[in-house]
Amino acid sequence: MSETSQRRIVIGDVHGHYEGLMTLLAAIAPASNDQLYFLGDLIDRGPQSAQVVNFVKNNNYPCLLGNHEQMLLNVLSNGSASTPAMQAWLYSGGQATIASYQEATIPQEHIDWFTTLPTYLDLGDVWLTHAGVDPFMPLNKQTAEQFCWIREEFHGIEKPFFPDKLIIVGHTITFTLPGVIPGQLAQGKGWLDIDTGAYHPRSGWLTALDVTNNLVYQANVFKKRVRTLPLEEASVMIDPAEIKGARRNQQRA
């Protein structure tokens, strides 16, 4: 299998699994001229959020704002730990993040770095954001609320949001979408979801996509396994009608 040099590699939600990330990168073996991008949600749930943040920050890898980083920033938005925001963050795995730092204190340099993270990156033929876009809003009206949090409205779009760009996202664990099993990627109309649920006991797969060569690299954080697959074998097409049907059923319940 021949590969093009100077690869663009996009890494999904790491969620504090530093050792899994190191295993994944060992499989990818990035060269000095390869470009690595992170889709956000470096922190929470897993045991080594501090180490993940240090690694990405210190290597100056482009990284997007995820909803988990945004939840942490919400806790600190008023200069103090807002109780409702703190409870929401801790419930979503924030306690593991706190525990990963020495003396349970997140350094200001990490907090400052989180505030600099963009909500999207336009790479020309691909467009990176954490969760997706709202197909019913102009792009210039959208904020972190859409880019970091959206789910069904985005996954259920019936035509690509961009005519000439593939949107690559994380945020929604792929096996929560119709017809997808743990470890598979999910592909819809103009979008590709690569969050395969590294922290989740049903999966454990941390995924990176080599956009240049349409290759998927995966490391399982629980089983210490690695694998490389062509994108077409690793992904499942999502029917927008099934997303809308599942949403209607949830609303009736």
Side-chain angles (χ1 to χ4, degrees), residues 119-149:
T119 51
Y120 64 85
L121 289 170
D122 187 347
L123 305 184
D125 57 334
V126 296
W127 201 86
L128 310 181
T129 192
H130 179 65
V133 297
D134 188 331
F136 307 110
M137 289 179 66
L139 193 63
N140 62 2
K141 299 294 185 183
Q142 299 190 43
T143 67
E145 182 64 27
Q146 288 76 40
F147 298 133
C148 294
W149 290 94

Side-chain angles (χ1 to χ4, degrees), residues 49-130:
S49 290
Q51 292 91 325
V52 174
V53 175
N54 267 327
F55 175 77
V56 176
K57 175 181 176 295
N58 293 344
N59 283 283
N60 294 314
Y61 291 129
C63 180
L64 295 168
L65 180 71
N67 64 301
H68 282 258
E69 286 85 20
Q70 191 192 40
M71 280 192 287
L72 171 57
L73 292 176
N74 288 344
V75 169
L76 305 171
S77 61
N78 296 318
S80 61
S82 165
T83 300
M86 175 66 86
Q87 289 176 344
W89 179 52
L90 294 178
Y91 178 78
S92 300
Q95 185 59 53
T97 295
I98 295 171
S100 72
Y101 284 92
Q102 290 185 355
E103 300 179 359
T105 301
I106 302 175
Q108 188 63 42
E109 64 178 300
H110 281 196
I111 295 168
D112 292 343
W113 183 71
F114 292 146
T115 66
T116 70
L117 299 181
T119 51
Y120 64 85
L121 289 170
D122 187 347
L123 305 184
D125 57 334
V126 296
W127 201 86
L128 310 181
T129 192
H130 179 65

